[in-house]
Amino acid sequence: MDLSKLSEDELIELIEDAKAELLRRREGKWVHFKTDGCFTPKFGPAYVAKLFLVGDEIEREFFPSNGKEWCKKNKSYKEDWDIEIFELDLIEARLTTGKKVDTREWFYVKKGELIPLLDLDEAKRFLKNLK
């Protein structure tokens, strides 16, 4: 875009549109996550985390939960989280107990909505494309 060809009014409109977009991206949205019934930590604890790429490695920032409610014989529990998400955040959640494999989900935030990703490899590609 060649800014020198725009009129003063067009430049002002462009600036106002850019400011509105930046403000929209900074506004967070609160979402609620919870385990599916009683969670058994067979492959690790239930969690919700924001993912970052540091070099070529994924780093996780775990969100604190609202607390655990223990189920029968203290072997499983229910847990939930209220988190604030922002545009282009990448979220990983382990909320379901898998019978034979670790069951995790990945989402990115687009226009305030959680968009599912297929797997950790796709999540990593998403983070690499943000750079």
Side-chain angles (χ1 to χ4, degrees), residues 3-97:
L3 297 177
S4 66
K5 293 182 180 180
L6 296 177
S7 70
E8 192 173 308
D9 288 339
E10 290 173 322
L11 284 171
I12 290 171
E13 183 180 342
L14 180 63
I15 289 169
E16 293 304 317
D17 289 347
K19 284 181 181 178
E21 177 64 18
L22 286 170
L23 183 61
R24 185 187 65 77
R25 290 182 183 190
R26 289 187 188 124
E27 289 178 353
K29 177 181 178 182
W30 288 91
V31 292
H32 183 78
F33 287 93
K34 66 179 184 174
T35 55
D36 293 338
C38 290
F39 180 87
T40 305
K42 186 174 184 178
F43 296 101
Y47 67 87
V48 177
K50 182 176 176 180
L51 300 185
F52 298 95
L53 198 58
V54 177
D56 281 340
E57 298 299 316
I58 296 274
E59 299 261 331
R60 291 168 177 84
E61 177 185 318
F62 294 93
F63 291 100
S65 77
N66 297 330
K68 292 180 182 176
E69 177 187 330
W70 290 95
C71 300
K72 302 173 191 173
K73 300 181 183 177
N74 289 339
K75 291 185 178 182
S76 58
Y77 55 88
K78 296 177 183 177
E79 193 167 14
D80 67 305
W81 296 258
D82 291 308
I83 67 168
E84 189 174 17
I85 57 173
F86 297 91
E87 190 73 8
L88 300 178
D89 277 355
L90 185 59
I91 306 297
E92 178 181 69
R94 180 188 289 142
L95 303 171
T96 305
T97 302

